């Protein structure tokens, strides 16, 4: 065995506490350096992109102890239904998901009955149309991808089910995009059919401004439907649609932390005052 190998074995020996501690410190330091490098590279990449970064907005459901604003979800669904659903789908949400979240069961059934679904086959093997029911998912605006592209000059409107989760800065990005349509600044040329939005990559977006004027949607609770209010509500609805179980998960987490805290107190007592005595006792056998 050569000197280098024997030295490495001594360094990694369990009996060498100082060497093991040194290795642990080196590993922690290296991990910190690598993590810092990755974070800075992401920040530089974000800052050097060709889109404006959205500001941070104080969303009511942002904290781990905060729940969704269900009134805002209800209003956001109205905005989606009357404005966004002409081009975009939310096919991961069924009408039953809206019950006791934004609408009563009767209201959700009424919304479902307004849509028509192809079902079957029947007893004669034929497909038939029927009214929607709670188990049905929100309808798609187009029957297939080709029809969607044909109606939007070749662009495919994305499904919005997971749009909030799929975008960096999540709700902040969606809100900034919806309210960020402006006339292009001097020196910036936008091709015909595109619109200037500094929050979109490249600054040119093919989606026409969805929210164009105050009062575009009439809320049934009397809330003034300003452009910013509509953008905030539909963003809240899309955030909920991306994670409908978020409130239940937070509630379960809070209950779990409370139970663990209650268990920790007696465990600490028995560990400190009961088990420590047993752990350090010495049993001696005498003739």
């Amino acid at each position: 065995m050569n000197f280098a190998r024997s030295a490495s074995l001594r360094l990694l020996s369990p009996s060498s506490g100082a060497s093991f501690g040194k290795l642990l410190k080196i590993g922690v330091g290296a991990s910190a350096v690598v993590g810092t490098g990755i974070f800075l590279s992401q920040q530089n990449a974000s800052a050097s992109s060709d889109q404006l970064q959205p500001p941070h907005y104080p969303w009511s459901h942002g904290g781990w102890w905060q729940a969704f604003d269900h009134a805002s979800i209800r209003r956001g669904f109205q905005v989606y239904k009357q404005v966004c659903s002409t081009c975009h789908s939310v096919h991961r949400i069924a009408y039953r998901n809206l019950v006791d979240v934004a609408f009563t069961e009767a209201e959700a059934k009424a919304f479902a009955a307004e849509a028509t679904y192809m079902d079957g086959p029947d007893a004669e093997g034929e497909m038939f149309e029927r009214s929607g029911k709670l188990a049905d998912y929100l309808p798609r605006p187009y029957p297939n991808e080709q029809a969607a592209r044909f109606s939007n000059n070749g662009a495919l409107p994305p499904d919005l089910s997971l749009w909030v989760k799929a975008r960096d800065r999540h709700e902040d990005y969606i809100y900034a995009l919806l309210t960020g349509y402006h006339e292009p600044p001097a020196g910036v040329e936008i091709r015909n059919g595109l619109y200037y939005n500094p929050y979109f990559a490249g600054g040119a977006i093919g989606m026409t401004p969805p929210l164009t004027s105050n009062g575009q949607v009439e809320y049934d609770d009397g809330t003034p439907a300003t452009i910013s209010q509509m953008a905030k509500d539909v963003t809240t609805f899309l955030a909920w649609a991306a994670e409908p179980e978020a409130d239940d998960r937070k509630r379960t987490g809070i209950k779990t932390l409370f139970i663990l805290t209650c268990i920790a107190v007696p465990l600490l007592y028995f560990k400190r005052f009961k088990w420590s005595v047993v752990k350090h006792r010495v049993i001696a056998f005498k003739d």
Side-chain angles (χ1 to χ4, degrees), residues 51 53-57 59 61-62 162-178 199 231 234-236 238-239 242-243:
Q51 67 183 104
Q53 295 302 307
H56 175 71
Y57 298 102
W59 298 97
H61 55 273
L162 301 175
W163 207 37
V164 172
K165 294 295 184 183
R167 293 296 182 269
D168 188 27
R169 301 292 300 275
H170 309 302
E171 293 95 334
D172 294 338
Y173 170 78
I174 306 302
Y175 179 85
L177 184 70
L178 293 175
Y199 298 103
V234 75
T235 301
T236 301
L238 294 178
E243 197 174 8

PDB file of all heavy atoms in Angstrom, residues 51 53-57 59 61-62 162-178 199 231 234-236 238-239 242-243:
ATOM      1  N   GLN A  51     -37.486  40.107 -22.262  1.00  0.00           N
ATOM      2  CA  GLN A  51     -38.799  40.458 -21.745  1.00  0.00           C
ATOM      3  C   GLN A  51     -38.668  41.143 -20.390  1.00  0.00           C
ATOM      4  O   GLN A  51     -37.725  40.904 -19.647  1.00  0.00           O
ATOM      5  CB  GLN A  51     -39.694  39.216 -21.625  1.00  0.00           C
ATOM      6  CG  GLN A  51     -39.234  38.223 -20.593  1.00  0.00           C
ATOM      7  CD  GLN A  51     -40.092  36.981 -20.557  1.00  0.00           C
ATOM      8  OE1 GLN A  51     -39.720  35.939 -21.040  1.00  0.00           O
ATOM      9  NE2 GLN A  51     -41.271  37.108 -19.971  1.00  0.00           N
ATOM     10  N   GLN A  53     -39.400  41.810 -16.605  1.00  0.00           N
ATOM     11  CA  GLN A  53     -39.790  40.975 -15.483  1.00  0.00           C
ATOM     12  C   GLN A  53     -40.947  41.622 -14.725  1.00  0.00           C
ATOM     13  O   GLN A  53     -40.907  42.817 -14.433  1.00  0.00           O
ATOM     14  CB  GLN A  53     -38.604  40.767 -14.543  1.00  0.00           C
ATOM     15  CG  GLN A  53     -37.464  39.981 -15.159  1.00  0.00           C
ATOM     16  CD  GLN A  53     -37.894  38.615 -15.635  1.00  0.00           C
ATOM     17  OE1 GLN A  53     -38.476  37.834 -14.876  1.00  0.00           O
ATOM     18  NE2 GLN A  53     -37.631  38.308 -16.881  1.00  0.00           N
ATOM     19  N   PRO A  54     -41.983  40.864 -14.411  1.00  0.00           N
ATOM     20  CA  PRO A  54     -43.155  41.452 -13.739  1.00  0.00           C
ATOM     21  C   PRO A  54     -42.838  41.806 -12.297  1.00  0.00           C
ATOM     22  O   PRO A  54     -41.987  41.174 -11.655  1.00  0.00           O
ATOM     23  CB  PRO A  54     -44.195  40.334 -13.819  1.00  0.00           C
ATOM     24  CG  PRO A  54     -43.385  39.074 -13.880  1.00  0.00           C
ATOM     25  CD  PRO A  54     -42.150  39.421 -14.657  1.00  0.00           C
ATOM     26  N   PRO A  55     -43.524  42.806 -11.753  1.00  0.00           N
ATOM     27  CA  PRO A  55     -43.359  43.126 -10.330  1.00  0.00           C
ATOM     28  C   PRO A  55     -44.022  42.076  -9.455  1.00  0.00           C
ATOM     29  O   PRO A  55     -44.792  41.235  -9.939  1.00  0.00           O
ATOM     30  CB  PRO A  55     -44.045  44.490 -10.194  1.00  0.00           C
ATOM     31  CG  PRO A  55     -45.052  44.511 -11.301  1.00  0.00           C
ATOM     32  CD  PRO A  55     -44.456  43.724 -12.427  1.00  0.00           C
ATOM     33  N   HIS A  56     -43.727  42.129  -8.189  1.00  0.00           N
ATOM     34  CA  HIS A  56     -44.346  41.202  -7.242  1.00  0.00           C
ATOM     35  C   HIS A  56     -45.633  41.807  -6.701  1.00  0.00           C
ATOM     36  O   HIS A  56     -45.656  42.954  -6.264  1.00  0.00           O
ATOM     37  CB  HIS A  56     -43.397  40.904  -6.085  1.00  0.00           C
ATOM     38  CG  HIS A  56     -44.025  40.059  -5.009  1.00  0.00           C
ATOM     39  ND1 HIS A  56     -44.315  38.725  -5.194  1.00  0.00           N
ATOM     40  CD2 HIS A  56     -44.425  40.370  -3.751  1.00  0.00           C
ATOM     41  CE1 HIS A  56     -44.871  38.248  -4.090  1.00  0.00           C
ATOM     42  NE2 HIS A  56     -44.949  39.235  -3.203  1.00  0.00           N
ATOM     43  N   TYR A  57     -46.714  41.009  -6.746  1.00  0.00           N
ATOM     44  CA  TYR A  57     -48.010  41.464  -6.255  1.00  0.00           C
ATOM     45  C   TYR A  57     -48.401  40.670  -5.007  1.00  0.00           C
ATOM     46  O   TYR A  57     -48.111  39.476  -4.911  1.00  0.00           O
ATOM     47  CB  TYR A  57     -49.090  41.284  -7.333  1.00  0.00           C
ATOM     48  CG  TYR A  57     -48.831  42.085  -8.581  1.00  0.00           C
ATOM     49  CD1 TYR A  57     -48.311  41.480  -9.719  1.00  0.00           C
ATOM     50  CD2 TYR A  57     -49.105  43.450  -8.630  1.00  0.00           C
ATOM     51  CE1 TYR A  57     -48.072  42.215 -10.875  1.00  0.00           C
ATOM     52  CE2 TYR A  57     -48.866  44.189  -9.784  1.00  0.00           C
ATOM     53  CZ  TYR A  57     -48.354  43.564 -10.906  1.00  0.00           C
ATOM     54  OH  TYR A  57     -48.102  44.290 -12.046  1.00  0.00           O
ATOM     55  N   TRP A  59     -50.548  38.595  -3.456  1.00  0.00           N
ATOM     56  CA  TRP A  59     -51.713  37.724  -3.647  1.00  0.00           C
ATOM     57  C   TRP A  59     -52.222  37.220  -2.299  1.00  0.00           C
ATOM     58  O   TRP A  59     -51.441  36.868  -1.418  1.00  0.00           O
ATOM     59  CB  TRP A  59     -51.350  36.558  -4.555  1.00  0.00           C
ATOM     60  CG  TRP A  59     -50.932  37.012  -5.921  1.00  0.00           C
ATOM     61  CD1 TRP A  59     -49.667  37.197  -6.374  1.00  0.00           C
ATOM     62  CD2 TRP A  59     -51.807  37.386  -6.987  1.00  0.00           C
ATOM     63  NE1 TRP A  59     -49.694  37.664  -7.680  1.00  0.00           N
ATOM     64  CE2 TRP A  59     -50.986  37.792  -8.075  1.00  0.00           C
ATOM     65  CE3 TRP A  59     -53.189  37.427  -7.131  1.00  0.00           C
ATOM     66  CZ2 TRP A  59     -51.512  38.219  -9.280  1.00  0.00           C
ATOM     67  CZ3 TRP A  59     -53.715  37.847  -8.338  1.00  0.00           C
ATOM     68  CH2 TRP A  59     -52.890  38.239  -9.395  1.00  0.00           C
ATOM     69  N   HIS A  61     -53.538  34.500  -1.504  1.00  0.00           N
ATOM     70  CA  HIS A  61     -53.295  33.085  -1.237  1.00  0.00           C
ATOM     71  C   HIS A  61     -51.803  32.753  -1.265  1.00  0.00           C
ATOM     72  O   HIS A  61     -51.427  31.577  -1.361  1.00  0.00           O
ATOM     73  CB  HIS A  61     -54.010  32.228  -2.295  1.00  0.00           C
ATOM     74  CG  HIS A  61     -53.640  32.589  -3.710  1.00  0.00           C
ATOM     75  ND1 HIS A  61     -54.298  33.585  -4.404  1.00  0.00           N
ATOM     76  CD2 HIS A  61     -52.692  32.120  -4.551  1.00  0.00           C
ATOM     77  CE1 HIS A  61     -53.764  33.693  -5.614  1.00  0.00           C
ATOM     78  NE2 HIS A  61     -52.777  32.816  -5.718  1.00  0.00           N
ATOM     79  N   GLY A  62     -50.941  33.763  -1.169  1.00  0.00           N
ATOM     80  CA  GLY A  62     -49.509  33.527  -1.317  1.00  0.00           C
ATOM     81  C   GLY A  62     -48.863  32.816  -0.148  1.00  0.00           C
ATOM     82  O   GLY A  62     -47.939  32.025  -0.334  1.00  0.00           O
ATOM     83  N   LEU A 162     -52.829  24.509 -16.441  1.00  0.00           N
ATOM     84  CA  LEU A 162     -51.595  24.577 -15.663  1.00  0.00           C
ATOM     85  C   LEU A 162     -50.749  25.780 -16.053  1.00  0.00           C
ATOM     86  O   LEU A 162     -49.537  25.794 -15.825  1.00  0.00           O
ATOM     87  CB  LEU A 162     -50.786  23.283 -15.845  1.00  0.00           C
ATOM     88  CG  LEU A 162     -51.488  21.991 -15.427  1.00  0.00           C
ATOM     89  CD1 LEU A 162     -50.632  20.784 -15.773  1.00  0.00           C
ATOM     90  CD2 LEU A 162     -51.813  21.996 -13.945  1.00  0.00           C
ATOM     91  N   TRP A 163     -51.364  26.774 -16.653  1.00  0.00           N
ATOM     92  CA  TRP A 163     -50.617  27.906 -17.180  1.00  0.00           C
ATOM     93  C   TRP A 163     -49.889  28.658 -16.078  1.00  0.00           C
ATOM     94  O   TRP A 163     -48.759  29.099 -16.251  1.00  0.00           O
ATOM     95  CB  TRP A 163     -51.561  28.832 -17.942  1.00  0.00           C
ATOM     96  CG  TRP A 163     -50.886  29.628 -19.017  1.00  0.00           C
ATOM     97  CD1 TRP A 163     -49.883  29.214 -19.834  1.00  0.00           C
ATOM     98  CD2 TRP A 163     -51.165  30.975 -19.383  1.00  0.00           C
ATOM     99  NE1 TRP A 163     -49.527  30.208 -20.709  1.00  0.00           N
ATOM    100  CE2 TRP A 163     -50.307  31.300 -20.447  1.00  0.00           C
ATOM    101  CE3 TRP A 163     -52.073  31.920 -18.925  1.00  0.00           C
ATOM    102  CZ2 TRP A 163     -50.313  32.551 -21.051  1.00  0.00           C
ATOM    103  CZ3 TRP A 163     -52.080  33.163 -19.527  1.00  0.00           C
ATOM    104  CH2 TRP A 163     -51.212  33.475 -20.587  1.00  0.00           C
ATOM    105  N   VAL A 164     -50.519  28.823 -14.934  1.00  0.00           N
ATOM    106  CA  VAL A 164     -49.889  29.557 -13.832  1.00  0.00           C
ATOM    107  C   VAL A 164     -48.648  28.816 -13.341  1.00  0.00           C
ATOM    108  O   VAL A 164     -47.596  29.420 -13.084  1.00  0.00           O
ATOM    109  CB  VAL A 164     -50.896  29.774 -12.683  1.00  0.00           C
ATOM    110  CG1 VAL A 164     -50.200  30.345 -11.458  1.00  0.00           C
ATOM    111  CG2 VAL A 164     -52.005  30.710 -13.131  1.00  0.00           C
ATOM    112  N   LYS A 165     -48.741  27.499 -13.208  1.00  0.00           N
ATOM    113  CA  LYS A 165     -47.599  26.716 -12.740  1.00  0.00           C
ATOM    114  C   LYS A 165     -46.493  26.637 -13.780  1.00  0.00           C
ATOM    115  O   LYS A 165     -45.320  26.476 -13.435  1.00  0.00           O
ATOM    116  CB  LYS A 165     -48.060  25.296 -12.383  1.00  0.00           C
ATOM    117  CG  LYS A 165     -49.001  25.221 -11.198  1.00  0.00           C
ATOM    118  CD  LYS A 165     -48.314  25.652  -9.921  1.00  0.00           C
ATOM    119  CE  LYS A 165     -49.228  25.491  -8.723  1.00  0.00           C
ATOM    120  NZ  LYS A 165     -48.592  25.976  -7.474  1.00  0.00           N
ATOM    121  N   ALA A 166     -46.857  26.727 -15.048  1.00  0.00           N
ATOM    122  CA  ALA A 166     -45.876  26.546 -16.121  1.00  0.00           C
ATOM    123  C   ALA A 166     -45.071  27.796 -16.410  1.00  0.00           C
ATOM    124  O   ALA A 166     -44.089  27.737 -17.154  1.00  0.00           O
ATOM    125  CB  ALA A 166     -46.583  26.088 -17.398  1.00  0.00           C
ATOM    126  N   ARG A 167     -45.445  28.924 -15.866  1.00  0.00           N
ATOM    127  CA  ARG A 167     -44.767  30.182 -16.155  1.00  0.00           C
ATOM    128  C   ARG A 167     -43.943  30.642 -14.958  1.00  0.00           C
ATOM    129  O   ARG A 167     -44.386  30.542 -13.817  1.00  0.00           O
ATOM    130  CB  ARG A 167     -45.792  31.272 -16.532  1.00  0.00           C
ATOM    131  CG  ARG A 167     -46.505  31.010 -17.845  1.00  0.00           C
ATOM    132  CD  ARG A 167     -45.528  31.030 -19.011  1.00  0.00           C
ATOM    133  NE  ARG A 167     -46.193  30.836 -20.282  1.00  0.00           N
ATOM    134  CZ  ARG A 167     -46.396  29.666 -20.860  1.00  0.00           C
ATOM    135  NH1 ARG A 167     -45.977  28.576 -20.248  1.00  0.00           N
ATOM    136  NH2 ARG A 167     -46.991  29.579 -22.032  1.00  0.00           N
ATOM    137  N   ASP A 168     -42.768  31.177 -15.241  1.00  0.00           N
ATOM    138  CA  ASP A 168     -41.948  31.758 -14.193  1.00  0.00           C
ATOM    139  C   ASP A 168     -42.668  32.963 -13.596  1.00  0.00           C
ATOM    140  O   ASP A 168     -43.301  33.733 -14.311  1.00  0.00           O
ATOM    141  CB  ASP A 168     -40.595  32.172 -14.777  1.00  0.00           C
ATOM    142  CG  ASP A 168     -39.621  32.615 -13.706  1.00  0.00           C
ATOM    143  OD1 ASP A 168     -39.760  32.143 -12.567  1.00  0.00           O
ATOM    144  OD2 ASP A 168     -38.733  33.433 -14.006  1.00  0.00           O
ATOM    145  N   ARG A 169     -42.585  33.102 -12.288  1.00  0.00           N
ATOM    146  CA  ARG A 169     -43.256  34.162 -11.525  1.00  0.00           C
ATOM    147  C   ARG A 169     -44.764  33.935 -11.448  1.00  0.00           C
ATOM    148  O   ARG A 169     -45.488  34.758 -10.913  1.00  0.00           O
ATOM    149  CB  ARG A 169     -42.946  35.548 -12.095  1.00  0.00           C
ATOM    150  CG  ARG A 169     -41.470  35.910 -12.111  1.00  0.00           C
ATOM    151  CD  ARG A 169     -40.914  36.093 -10.712  1.00  0.00           C
ATOM    152  NE  ARG A 169     -41.629  37.150 -10.016  1.00  0.00           N
ATOM    153  CZ  ARG A 169     -41.308  38.432 -10.131  1.00  0.00           C
ATOM    154  NH1 ARG A 169     -40.302  38.802 -10.901  1.00  0.00           N
ATOM    155  NH2 ARG A 169     -41.987  39.346  -9.464  1.00  0.00           N
ATOM    156  N   HIS A 170     -45.261  32.869 -12.021  1.00  0.00           N
ATOM    157  CA  HIS A 170     -46.627  32.381 -11.818  1.00  0.00           C
ATOM    158  C   HIS A 170     -47.694  33.479 -11.962  1.00  0.00           C
ATOM    159  O   HIS A 170     -47.843  34.049 -13.036  1.00  0.00           O
ATOM    160  CB  HIS A 170     -46.708  31.695 -10.456  1.00  0.00           C
ATOM    161  CG  HIS A 170     -45.638  30.662 -10.249  1.00  0.00           C
ATOM    162  ND1 HIS A 170     -45.476  29.591 -11.095  1.00  0.00           N
ATOM    163  CD2 HIS A 170     -44.650  30.555  -9.310  1.00  0.00           C
ATOM    164  CE1 HIS A 170     -44.457  28.854 -10.681  1.00  0.00           C
ATOM    165  NE2 HIS A 170     -43.937  29.422  -9.604  1.00  0.00           N
ATOM    166  N   GLU A 171     -48.421  33.765 -10.864  1.00  0.00           N
ATOM    167  CA  GLU A 171     -49.522  34.737 -10.950  1.00  0.00           C
ATOM    168  C   GLU A 171     -49.040  36.124 -11.363  1.00  0.00           C
ATOM    169  O   GLU A 171     -49.740  36.834 -12.092  1.00  0.00           O
ATOM    170  CB  GLU A 171     -50.242  34.841  -9.604  1.00  0.00           C
ATOM    171  CG  GLU A 171     -50.993  33.596  -9.186  1.00  0.00           C
ATOM    172  CD  GLU A 171     -50.166  32.711  -8.287  1.00  0.00           C
ATOM    173  OE1 GLU A 171     -48.926  32.773  -8.382  1.00  0.00           O
ATOM    174  OE2 GLU A 171     -50.755  31.956  -7.500  1.00  0.00           O
ATOM    175  N   ASP A 172     -47.865  36.509 -10.905  1.00  0.00           N
ATOM    176  CA  ASP A 172     -47.343  37.836 -11.253  1.00  0.00           C
ATOM    177  C   ASP A 172     -47.205  37.988 -12.770  1.00  0.00           C
ATOM    178  O   ASP A 172     -47.534  39.037 -13.336  1.00  0.00           O
ATOM    179  CB  ASP A 172     -45.984  38.069 -10.581  1.00  0.00           C
ATOM    180  CG  ASP A 172     -46.092  38.150  -9.066  1.00  0.00           C
ATOM    181  OD1 ASP A 172     -47.200  38.446  -8.577  1.00  0.00           O
ATOM    182  OD2 ASP A 172     -45.087  37.920  -8.383  1.00  0.00           O
ATOM    183  N   TYR A 173     -46.716  36.933 -13.414  1.00  0.00           N
ATOM    184  CA  TYR A 173     -46.535  36.989 -14.870  1.00  0.00           C
ATOM    185  C   TYR A 173     -47.882  37.089 -15.594  1.00  0.00           C
ATOM    186  O   TYR A 173     -48.046  37.883 -16.524  1.00  0.00           O
ATOM    187  CB  TYR A 173     -45.772  35.761 -15.357  1.00  0.00           C
ATOM    188  CG  TYR A 173     -45.745  35.627 -16.862  1.00  0.00           C
ATOM    189  CD1 TYR A 173     -44.886  36.407 -17.628  1.00  0.00           C
ATOM    190  CD2 TYR A 173     -46.589  34.728 -17.513  1.00  0.00           C
ATOM    191  CE1 TYR A 173     -44.870  36.293 -19.011  1.00  0.00           C
ATOM    192  CE2 TYR A 173     -46.579  34.617 -18.891  1.00  0.00           C
ATOM    193  CZ  TYR A 173     -45.717  35.398 -19.628  1.00  0.00           C
ATOM    194  OH  TYR A 173     -45.709  35.282 -20.992  1.00  0.00           O
ATOM    195  N   ILE A 174     -48.859  36.289 -15.165  1.00  0.00           N
ATOM    196  CA  ILE A 174     -50.159  36.290 -15.841  1.00  0.00           C
ATOM    197  C   ILE A 174     -50.823  37.659 -15.717  1.00  0.00           C
ATOM    198  O   ILE A 174     -51.328  38.211 -16.698  1.00  0.00           O
ATOM    199  CB  ILE A 174     -51.070  35.189 -15.257  1.00  0.00           C
ATOM    200  CG1 ILE A 174     -50.376  33.825 -15.306  1.00  0.00           C
ATOM    201  CG2 ILE A 174     -52.388  35.148 -16.011  1.00  0.00           C
ATOM    202  CD1 ILE A 174     -49.966  33.383 -16.671  1.00  0.00           C
ATOM    203  N   TYR A 175     -50.814  38.202 -14.507  1.00  0.00           N
ATOM    204  CA  TYR A 175     -51.444  39.510 -14.292  1.00  0.00           C
ATOM    205  C   TYR A 175     -50.734  40.586 -15.103  1.00  0.00           C
ATOM    206  O   TYR A 175     -51.378  41.430 -15.747  1.00  0.00           O
ATOM    207  CB  TYR A 175     -51.431  39.865 -12.804  1.00  0.00           C
ATOM    208  CG  TYR A 175     -52.053  41.206 -12.498  1.00  0.00           C
ATOM    209  CD1 TYR A 175     -53.422  41.336 -12.312  1.00  0.00           C
ATOM    210  CD2 TYR A 175     -51.259  42.342 -12.411  1.00  0.00           C
ATOM    211  CE1 TYR A 175     -53.993  42.564 -12.046  1.00  0.00           C
ATOM    212  CE2 TYR A 175     -51.823  43.581 -12.145  1.00  0.00           C
ATOM    213  CZ  TYR A 175     -53.186  43.685 -11.956  1.00  0.00           C
ATOM    214  OH  TYR A 175     -53.746  44.912 -11.701  1.00  0.00           O
ATOM    215  N   ALA A 176     -49.401  40.584 -15.080  1.00  0.00           N
ATOM    216  CA  ALA A 176     -48.643  41.590 -15.824  1.00  0.00           C
ATOM    217  C   ALA A 176     -48.885  41.452 -17.330  1.00  0.00           C
ATOM    218  O   ALA A 176     -48.991  42.457 -18.041  1.00  0.00           O
ATOM    219  CB  ALA A 176     -47.154  41.458 -15.512  1.00  0.00           C
ATOM    220  N   LEU A 177     -48.998  40.227 -17.806  1.00  0.00           N
ATOM    221  CA  LEU A 177     -49.239  40.022 -19.237  1.00  0.00           C
ATOM    222  C   LEU A 177     -50.610  40.549 -19.646  1.00  0.00           C
ATOM    223  O   LEU A 177     -50.756  41.196 -20.690  1.00  0.00           O
ATOM    224  CB  LEU A 177     -49.136  38.532 -19.570  1.00  0.00           C
ATOM    225  CG  LEU A 177     -49.259  38.155 -21.047  1.00  0.00           C
ATOM    226  CD1 LEU A 177     -48.014  38.618 -21.810  1.00  0.00           C
ATOM    227  CD2 LEU A 177     -49.456  36.656 -21.214  1.00  0.00           C
ATOM    228  N   LEU A 178     -51.633  40.289 -18.832  1.00  0.00           N
ATOM    229  CA  LEU A 178     -52.986  40.722 -19.172  1.00  0.00           C
ATOM    230  C   LEU A 178     -53.128  42.234 -19.138  1.00  0.00           C
ATOM    231  O   LEU A 178     -53.935  42.799 -19.892  1.00  0.00           O
ATOM    232  CB  LEU A 178     -53.992  40.085 -18.210  1.00  0.00           C
ATOM    233  CG  LEU A 178     -54.163  38.567 -18.306  1.00  0.00           C
ATOM    234  CD1 LEU A 178     -55.102  38.065 -17.222  1.00  0.00           C
ATOM    235  CD2 LEU A 178     -54.697  38.167 -19.693  1.00  0.00           C
ATOM    236  N   TYR A 199     -43.961  42.194 -21.351  1.00  0.00           N
ATOM    237  CA  TYR A 199     -43.835  41.054 -20.458  1.00  0.00           C
ATOM    238  C   TYR A 199     -43.817  39.728 -21.202  1.00  0.00           C
ATOM    239  O   TYR A 199     -43.582  38.689 -20.588  1.00  0.00           O
ATOM    240  CB  TYR A 199     -44.976  41.056 -19.436  1.00  0.00           C
ATOM    241  CG  TYR A 199     -44.970  42.270 -18.549  1.00  0.00           C
ATOM    242  CD1 TYR A 199     -45.861  43.324 -18.757  1.00  0.00           C
ATOM    243  CD2 TYR A 199     -44.051  42.390 -17.514  1.00  0.00           C
ATOM    244  CE1 TYR A 199     -45.841  44.446 -17.954  1.00  0.00           C
ATOM    245  CE2 TYR A 199     -44.024  43.516 -16.703  1.00  0.00           C
ATOM    246  CZ  TYR A 199     -44.921  44.540 -16.922  1.00  0.00           C
ATOM    247  OH  TYR A 199     -44.893  45.660 -16.129  1.00  0.00           O
ATOM    248  N   ALA A 231     -58.400  41.286 -14.427  1.00  0.00           N
ATOM    249  CA  ALA A 231     -57.134  40.565 -14.568  1.00  0.00           C
ATOM    250  C   ALA A 231     -56.775  39.845 -13.279  1.00  0.00           C
ATOM    251  O   ALA A 231     -56.318  38.689 -13.293  1.00  0.00           O
ATOM    252  CB  ALA A 231     -56.028  41.532 -14.958  1.00  0.00           C
ATOM    253  N   VAL A 234     -59.340  36.724 -12.840  1.00  0.00           N
ATOM    254  CA  VAL A 234     -59.111  35.588 -13.731  1.00  0.00           C
ATOM    255  C   VAL A 234     -57.772  34.927 -13.417  1.00  0.00           C
ATOM    256  O   VAL A 234     -57.623  33.702 -13.561  1.00  0.00           O
ATOM    257  CB  VAL A 234     -59.203  36.014 -15.213  1.00  0.00           C
ATOM    258  CG1 VAL A 234     -57.972  36.797 -15.650  1.00  0.00           C
ATOM    259  CG2 VAL A 234     -59.400  34.793 -16.109  1.00  0.00           C
ATOM    260  N   THR A 235     -56.794  35.697 -12.951  1.00  0.00           N
ATOM    261  CA  THR A 235     -55.519  35.107 -12.540  1.00  0.00           C
ATOM    262  C   THR A 235     -55.703  34.243 -11.304  1.00  0.00           C
ATOM    263  O   THR A 235     -55.129  33.149 -11.197  1.00  0.00           O
ATOM    264  CB  THR A 235     -54.486  36.211 -12.264  1.00  0.00           C
ATOM    265  OG1 THR A 235     -54.292  36.994 -13.448  1.00  0.00           O
ATOM    266  CG2 THR A 235     -53.153  35.605 -11.851  1.00  0.00           C
ATOM    267  N   THR A 236     -56.521  34.712 -10.361  1.00  0.00           N
ATOM    268  CA  THR A 236     -56.810  33.907  -9.171  1.00  0.00           C
ATOM    269  C   THR A 236     -57.526  32.622  -9.555  1.00  0.00           C
ATOM    270  O   THR A 236     -57.225  31.544  -9.018  1.00  0.00           O
ATOM    271  CB  THR A 236     -57.669  34.714  -8.184  1.00  0.00           C
ATOM    272  OG1 THR A 236     -56.982  35.913  -7.814  1.00  0.00           O
ATOM    273  CG2 THR A 236     -57.967  33.905  -6.927  1.00  0.00           C
ATOM    274  N   LEU A 238     -57.288  31.005 -12.418  1.00  0.00           N
ATOM    275  CA  LEU A 238     -56.331  30.116 -13.078  1.00  0.00           C
ATOM    276  C   LEU A 238     -55.348  29.525 -12.074  1.00  0.00           C
ATOM    277  O   LEU A 238     -54.908  28.376 -12.229  1.00  0.00           O
ATOM    278  CB  LEU A 238     -55.593  30.875 -14.179  1.00  0.00           C
ATOM    279  CG  LEU A 238     -56.444  31.330 -15.368  1.00  0.00           C
ATOM    280  CD1 LEU A 238     -55.605  32.113 -16.355  1.00  0.00           C
ATOM    281  CD2 LEU A 238     -57.096  30.126 -16.056  1.00  0.00           C
ATOM    282  N   ALA A 239     -54.983  30.296 -11.045  1.00  0.00           N
ATOM    283  CA  ALA A 239     -54.106  29.756  -9.998  1.00  0.00           C
ATOM    284  C   ALA A 239     -54.809  28.633  -9.251  1.00  0.00           C
ATOM    285  O   ALA A 239     -54.204  27.597  -8.926  1.00  0.00           O
ATOM    286  CB  ALA A 239     -53.691  30.870  -9.045  1.00  0.00           C
ATOM    287  N   ALA A 242     -55.015  25.491 -11.463  1.00  0.00           N
ATOM    288  CA  ALA A 242     -53.761  24.750 -11.564  1.00  0.00           C
ATOM    289  C   ALA A 242     -53.526  23.860 -10.348  1.00  0.00           C
ATOM    290  O   ALA A 242     -52.790  22.875 -10.428  1.00  0.00           O
ATOM    291  CB  ALA A 242     -52.588  25.719 -11.734  1.00  0.00           C
ATOM    292  N   GLU A 243     -54.144  24.183  -9.219  1.00  0.00           N
ATOM    293  CA  GLU A 243     -53.963  23.410  -7.993  1.00  0.00           C
ATOM    294  C   GLU A 243     -55.222  23.507  -7.135  1.00  0.00           C
ATOM    295  O   GLU A 243     -55.233  24.183  -6.101  1.00  0.00           O
ATOM    296  CB  GLU A 243     -52.749  23.927  -7.218  1.00  0.00           C
ATOM    297  CG  GLU A 243     -52.225  22.971  -6.177  1.00  0.00           C
ATOM    298  CD  GLU A 243     -50.942  23.469  -5.546  1.00  0.00           C
ATOM    299  OE1 GLU A 243     -50.542  24.623  -5.819  1.00  0.00           O
ATOM    300  OE2 GLU A 243     -50.334  22.708  -4.775  1.00  0.00           O
TER     301      GLU A 243
END
